[in-house]
Amino acid sequence: MSSPTTPRRGYHHGDLRAGLIREGIALLAETGVAGFSVAKVAVRAGVSSAAPYRHFPDREALLAACAAAILADITDLLAAAAEQAGPDPLDRLAATAGAYTRYVLEHRAGIDLIYSYEFSGPHHPTVQEQSRRLTGTLMDLVSAVLPADVPWADTADFAYVHLSTTHGYAALLVKATRPPHDIDSHAARAVTVARDHITGYLQRLYGRETP
């Protein structure tokens, strides 16, 4: 198995951009945003220090591309988990907690980037597009759980609470164990906690478990 600094070979011009994003995400998993640089990504990809600039004019542009890719991956995983959970809206929403927790524990990449880093200028839309997609996916799943007459603001608030609760659990696990053990159990526990939270929320506010 190659080390983080072992040059990769075989990148062609057409797939260099994707390769740089992939290596950038891997670097983020190891060092976080503070240790991220275009030069380090180039070393990991096995290309010259100038090669990344054919696709990314600066560090910010590469970070934005990595953030967008991470958000896209998370969104796809949440959507797939919901589909696999079956037709019940509560099962579908709770399943996203397990998928999110699994992603964080398996990849440990870029979570500080997508939530804490402020992108500006031309790089902001790159990240914002995927962020909206993630929000939209969660909003659809939350809307299916809540009664039809719930205001949009309350739906958005619950989607935020659901995601932030799940994120907090996964982030604490990452800090507590390096690497975390028994990812399957942690993901299953996240689903159980999410289910309890959703059910309690519905009972408290609407006196019912499902719409």
Side-chain angles (χ1 to χ4, degrees):
M1 183 175 180
S2 57
S3 70
T5 56
T6 300
R8 274 65 165 176
R9 302 297 180 191
Y11 282 124
H12 301 288
H13 181 74
D15 63 1
L16 176 58
R17 185 180 190 280
L20 291 168
I21 293 172
R22 185 166 57 251
E23 298 298 346
I25 292 172
L27 179 61
L28 285 166
E30 295 173 6
T31 69
V33 178
F36 186 93
S37 73
V38 176
K40 288 180 182 177
V41 174
V43 170
R44 294 184 63 99
V47 298
S48 71
S49 59
Y53 294 100
R54 302 173 193 165
H55 300 278
F56 304 103
D58 51 34
R59 177 180 182 269
E60 186 92 348
L62 182 50
L63 274 174
C66 290
I70 291 165
L71 285 165
D73 285 346
I74 291 173
T75 304
D76 290 344
L77 288 171
L78 300 195
E83 286 303 307
Q84 292 168 8
D88 182 80
L90 196 153
D91 289 341
R92 290 167 64 83
L93 180 58
T96 64
Y100 186 94
T101 299
R102 181 179 295 280
Y103 177 88
V104 173
L105 295 180
E106 288 181 344
H107 298 280
R108 310 165 73 89
I111 301 302
D112 54 341
L113 174 66
I114 63 175
Y115 292 123
S116 304
Y117 196 86
E118 246 350 278
F119 290 99
S120 59
H123 309 304
H124 180 72
T126 301
V127 180
Q128 190 65 16
E129 178 183 356
Q130 292 301 329
S131 181
R132 286 198 190 100
R133 182 168 165 257
L134 172 59
T135 301
T137 297
L138 283 174
M139 286 288 286
D140 288 345
L141 292 167
V142 170
S143 295
V145 169
L146 299 179
D149 58 349
V150 173
W152 183 91
D154 290 350
T155 303
D157 182 64
F158 185 65
Y160 175 79
V161 171
H162 172 71
L163 180 59
S164 60
T165 301
T166 301
H167 172 74
Y169 173 67
L172 284 174
L173 284 174
V174 168
K175 291 182 181 298
T177 54
R178 294 183 174 275
H181 301 292
D182 203 359
I183 290 175
D184 289 341
S185 293
H186 291 313
R189 191 173 297 117
V191 174
T192 299
V193 171
R195 173 181 285 280
D196 289 345
H197 178 236
I198 296 163
T199 302
Y201 180 88
L202 292 170
Q203 290 176 334
R204 185 172 63 256
L205 270 65
Y206 307 109
R208 63 187 108 171
E209 291 188 5
T210 55

